[in-house]
Amino acid sequence: MKQKYEGSCHCGKVRFEVQLDPAEALVCDCSICTKKGVIIGRVDEDELELLTPLEELTLYQFNKRIAKHYFCPVCGIHTFNRPRSAPERWVVNLRCLAGVDLAALEPQQIHGSAFD
Ligand SMILES: [Zn+2]
């Protein structure tokens, strides 16, 4: 069931709220997800509310430069990104959410570079 969660980076500069269902958690084997070690959730544009302006985050792009990977410029934690396969949506790092029992998640493994 979708629920509202508060999210943040490690230092607290980046804050957001998101509506999602942790039971739909995913782990992706693309090059960047692998190195970040993120557990991710896909949400629509209106399900993510930024409490820190996007301009205050650092943007990382590579290859075709369609996906937008944002991270905190202070502590370096990746909080969310715009996926290449659906740039109008968001992919959120579930490890950044308060109140999600990470140990209880059984993320579905997805393949390819859908989220890079
Ligand atoms: Zn930070």
Side-chain angles (χ1 to χ4, degrees), residues 19-40:
Q19 295 258 9
L20 55 73
D21 182 354
E24 295 173 7
L26 304 169
V27 169
C28 174
D29 67 357
C30 82
S31 62
I32 192 162
C33 285
T34 297
K35 292 205 172 185
K36 283 177 182 166
V38 288
I39 302 172
I40 55 180

Side-chain angles (χ1 to χ4, degrees), residues 81-92:
N81 64 279
R82 294 283 198 187
R84 188 180 65 185
S85 57
E88 76 285 1
R89 303 187 78 199
W90 289 106
V91 170
V92 173

Side-chain angles (χ1 to χ4, degrees), residues 8 77-78 103:
S8 65
I77 296 299
H78 165 76

Side-chain angles (χ1 to χ4, degrees), residues 34-88:
T34 297
K35 292 205 172 185
K36 283 177 182 166
V38 288
I39 302 172
I40 55 180
R42 293 181 271 204
V43 300
D44 289 328
E45 172 75 28
D46 62 358
E47 291 172 318
L48 178 68
E49 186 184 350
L50 300 175
L51 303 178
T52 303
L54 211 47
E55 309 82 70
E56 293 187 23
L57 283 75
T58 301
L59 171 63
Y60 174 61
Q61 292 186 285
F62 59 97
N63 285 353
K64 293 180 179 168
R65 297 179 184 273
I66 297 168
K68 294 180 174 175
H69 298 273
Y70 294 97
F71 63 93
C72 172
V74 178
C75 68
I77 296 299
H78 165 76
T79 45
F80 40 74
N81 64 279
R82 294 283 198 187
R84 188 180 65 185
S85 57
E88 76 285 1

